[in-house]
Amino acid sequence: MSIEIAETEKFNSRITAYVIVCWILAAFGGLLFGYDIGISGGVTAMEDFLEKFFPKVAERKRHAKEDNYCKFDDQLLQLFTSSLYLSALASSFLASIMCKKYGRKATILAAAVLFILGAAVSGGAIDMKMLIFGRVIFGFGVGFGNEAVPLFLSEVAPVQHRGAVNILFQLFVTIGIFIANLVNYGTSKLHPFGWRVSLGFTGIPSCFLLLGGLIITETPASLIERGKDAKATKVLKKIRGVDDVFAEFDQIKNASEIAKTIKNPYKNLAKSSSVPPLIIAFSLQLFQQFTGINAIMFYAPVLFQTIGFKNDASLLSAIITGIVNVFSTLISIYLVDKSGRRKLLLVACWIMFISQATIGGILLVNLKPTGSLSGIEAKFVVVLVCLYVMAFAFSWGPLGWLIPSETFPLETRTAGFAVAVSSNMFFTFLVAQVFLTMLCQMHAYIFFFFAAWILIMGVSVYFLLPETKGVSIDAMVDQVWSKHPFWKRFMVESNITYADSMHKPAVVTV
């Protein structure tokens, strides 16, 4: 059998107001993910919250001579943060099935409903079980949203702008973290229910996502995958802003024909030709979390309290890092389709390595189990954290989602991306569950631990990650994997040759 797909080309398109609205409304799924990342650290630093659910931690925190590195070490406290990601891991596979069977739009709507339910349960929690249950519901929303939104953005974006459009997801993640820091800063003074406002506030952006899910279109790839060719043509014309969309339609259609030959996409992921995108997707999720970023973003207020800031000052410092996070992601949107993915990742590795190693050195020399850093030292640590966050935000943050969403062929795209999402959630859960314990056991050496991982990441990117800038999403096999000096050996199994689909026009039944 020989099914051919077009080589990379820039299809006709122009940016319309409607497609911009679709991008922004869908990206609200990222805002909710970011809000859930940012809100937990501030809430776990609130006295009222600790007194109600974690009285032992509250008691330890009040002791002036308590070990700086260990005063927040509590497995249940970490479970409050990490339970969300464990449930997101499980739900990502359900979301993959829903994405394939019912479409990206329906999955985004399901995510919005789950976020609203999670906000109601968490904000109204009266005991530990209810609190954790609310986080689990949030986790299901994260699993559904993180599966559908990056796929949606990659599939509706023109090839020449796909990187920038997909990074809207990460931009909204950073905005969500920033909003969470602002909310926590304000609610920390609302005694004794400030934490309820912080957790319940999630319902507001969730309603925007629900509204957005009703307004946005389904992606052409999903419509064609489900046999709705005529509607896909109309949608493609609408989101591209031109009538001449048949070349792009043919490429998506031929990719869909290949996908139909695959009965079990998860089983197909075990084939040799699926190994390259699968390993890259899995590795990016591992590396993204072992940069240490979520350890810092989850527990930023706790971390800043550890080095000597008071509660208000620590929350304010977290807001500063949140601002850096947002604006640095804008750098990525500008550069990703100009400089490419590899350069951004490699430059960031150097910056993050220097920042983590320097933070570790300062804390190792100057922060003892009791006492705190001097004012100048503590401020310098905040500067280094901002430098580190900046580097992550223009590289590993957005590209960890972009690259897996664009490198799988259509026949394994939802399954492959589900593996990426679930891997991300697993490693996020792992870091969230053990970070405070690792901080207690390793003290400043934890920053050297993450710095070592960053070195491994840089080497891996240099030798193993191909550049995907400017390559059509449905021509990755021919243009990327089959030409890479290492990964091409895995492609010999495939008996599908990707060539110019312009010679094989698809028939649209109206």
Side-chain angles (χ1 to χ4, degrees):
M1 179 182 68
S2 178
I3 300 175
E4 300 182 344
I5 291 182
E7 289 186 7
T8 303
E9 61 178 292
K10 290 184 179 179
F11 300 112
N12 294 327
S13 68
R14 63 185 182 87
I15 305 300
T16 65
Y18 175 73
V19 78
I20 291 174
V21 169
C22 285
W23 295 342
I24 293 173
L25 291 175
F28 261 89
L31 187 148
L32 285 157
F33 181 38
Y35 187 85
D36 286 328
I37 289 173
I39 208 67
S40 57
V43 167
T44 53
M46 293 182 187
E47 292 285 352
D48 297 322
F49 178 80
L50 293 175
E51 287 286 357
K52 183 171 182 61
F53 296 107
F54 306 97
K56 291 182 180 178
V57 177
E59 184 65 24
R60 281 207 308 269
K61 186 181 173 185
R62 281 194 289 267
H63 290 316
K65 294 184 179 181
E66 183 67 42
D67 190 325
N68 277 316
Y69 293 100
C70 297
K71 58 187 175 183
F72 290 97
D73 179 24
D74 184 272
Q75 287 298 308
L76 278 177
L77 181 63
Q78 292 174 104
L79 183 63
F80 165 72
T81 297
S82 65
S83 57
L84 182 150
Y85 303 98
L86 195 60
S87 62
L89 187 161
S91 66
S92 61
F93 292 102
L94 296 175
S96 168
I97 296 170
M98 187 170 185
C99 258
K100 189 172 183 66
K101 191 171 183 179
Y102 300 106
R104 287 48 162 163
K105 177 174 179 172
T107 310
I108 291 172
L109 284 168
V113 172
L114 288 164
F115 279 123
I116 292 170
L117 289 174
V121 175
S122 295
I126 57 175
D127 55 28
M128 179 65 72
K129 290 180 181 179
M130 190 172 176
L131 182 71
I132 299 298
F133 182 59
R135 293 290 286 177
V136 168
I137 297 174
F138 273 141
F140 271 80
V142 167
F144 275 66
N146 286 19
E147 170 74 14
V149 172
L151 286 178
F152 176 90
L153 294 173
S154 285
E155 290 178 348
V156 299
V159 61
Q160 64 269 32
H161 301 302
R162 187 179 64 243
V165 172
N166 187 278
I167 290 173
L168 283 175
F169 176 77
Q170 181 65 19
L171 175 64
F172 273 67
V173 171
T174 64
I175 293 172
I177 293 171
F178 176 62
I179 291 173
N181 290 332
L182 286 177
V183 170
N184 280 335
Y185 185 71
T187 59
S188 63
K189 300 175 178 62
L190 297 177
H191 303 290
F193 299 120
W195 62 270
R196 292 191 186 277
V197 178
S198 290
L199 295 176
F201 185 84
T202 315
I204 296 177
S206 301
C207 290
F208 279 100
L209 182 63
L210 183 64
L211 177 63
L214 296 172
I215 294 173
I216 63 174
T217 182
E218 183 56 88
T219 71
S222 178
L223 290 168
I224 292 171
E225 191 176 32
R226 291 179 287 138
K228 300 179 180 181
D229 291 10
K231 187 173 182 180
T233 305
K234 292 177 182 177
V235 168
L236 201 54
K237 289 179 180 180
K238 189 173 185 179
I239 64 175
R240 294 291 178 260
V242 296
D243 289 330
D244 183 15
V245 297
F246 297 106
E248 185 174 3
F249 177 88
D250 287 345
Q251 188 180 83
I252 300 171
K253 178 66 176 177
N254 288 335
S256 179
E257 292 300 319
I258 294 172
K260 288 178 181 177
T261 68
I262 307 300
K263 301 302 180 184
N264 188 335
Y266 285 100
K267 185 178 180 180
N268 204 59
L269 286 174
K271 291 186 176 181
S272 175
S273 57
S274 296
V275 167
L278 189 63
I279 289 179
I280 290 298
F282 179 84
S283 299
L284 284 171
Q285 308 316 309
L286 169 67
F287 292 154
Q288 188 190 69
Q289 294 312 309
F290 278 77
T291 60
I293 184 63
N294 277 341
I296 287 178
M297 300 315 291
F298 290 151
Y299 300 115
V302 170
L303 180 63
F304 290 132
Q305 283 190 38
T306 296
I307 64 175
F309 286 97
K310 300 300 182 184
N311 190 48
D312 283 357
S314 68
L315 287 170
L316 186 58
S317 299
I319 290 173
I320 292 170
T321 59
I323 294 172
V324 171
N325 201 10
V326 172
F327 282 98
S328 299
T329 305
L330 294 173
I331 296 173
S332 185
I333 290 176
Y334 178 75
L335 290 178
V336 68
D337 290 315
K338 293 181 172 64
S339 300
R341 285 66 161 150
R342 281 169 51 86
K343 286 182 181 178
L344 292 179
L345 292 172
L346 290 170
V347 169
C349 281
W350 280 108
I351 297 173
M352 291 193 299
F353 174 78
I354 293 169
S355 301
Q356 287 277 34
T358 306
I359 291 171
I362 291 172
L363 299 188
L364 183 64
V365 173
N366 298 299
L367 184 64
K368 306 306 177 185
T370 57
S372 61
L373 296 180
S374 68
I376 294 176
E377 291 167 342
K379 289 174 183 176
F380 187 50
V381 168
V382 172
V383 171
L384 288 169
V385 169
C386 288
L387 186 64
Y388 164 84
V389 169
M390 177 196 74
F392 179 88
F394 71 67
S395 60
W396 289 91
L399 300 185
W401 295 108
L402 167 62
I403 294 171
S405 75
E406 67 182 1
T407 50
F408 285 99
L410 184 60
E411 64 265 27
T412 56
R413 190 172 299 156
T414 57
F417 196 64
V419 171
V421 172
S422 61
S423 300
N424 186 285
M425 295 301 107
F426 172 75
F427 292 120
T428 305
F429 163 77
L430 188 63
V431 170
Q433 185 62 33
V434 304
F435 174 70
L436 295 180
T437 300
M438 288 176 68
L439 183 64
C440 178
Q441 298 298 320
M442 298 175 69
H443 290 196
Y445 289 103
I446 192 171
F447 294 97
F448 297 116
F449 169 81
F450 288 126
W453 272 101
I454 292 169
L455 277 183
I456 296 171
M457 291 157 47
V459 173
S460 299
V461 168
Y462 186 81
F463 288 106
L464 297 177
L465 183 70
E467 182 55 70
T468 56
K469 178 187 74 171
V471 181
S472 173
I473 195 171
D474 290 308
M476 288 289 172
V477 172
D478 186 49
Q479 295 298 303
V480 174
W481 303 116
S482 295
K483 294 182 179 180
H484 190 272
F486 180 78
W487 297 119
K488 64 182 180 182
R489 71 194 68 184
F490 293 90
M491 308 312 296
V492 294
E493 173 192 287
S494 178
N495 61 355
I496 298 168
T497 302
Y498 288 73
D500 192 354
S501 68
M502 292 292 289
H503 301 297
K504 292 190 64 181
V507 177
V508 183
T509 303
V510 181

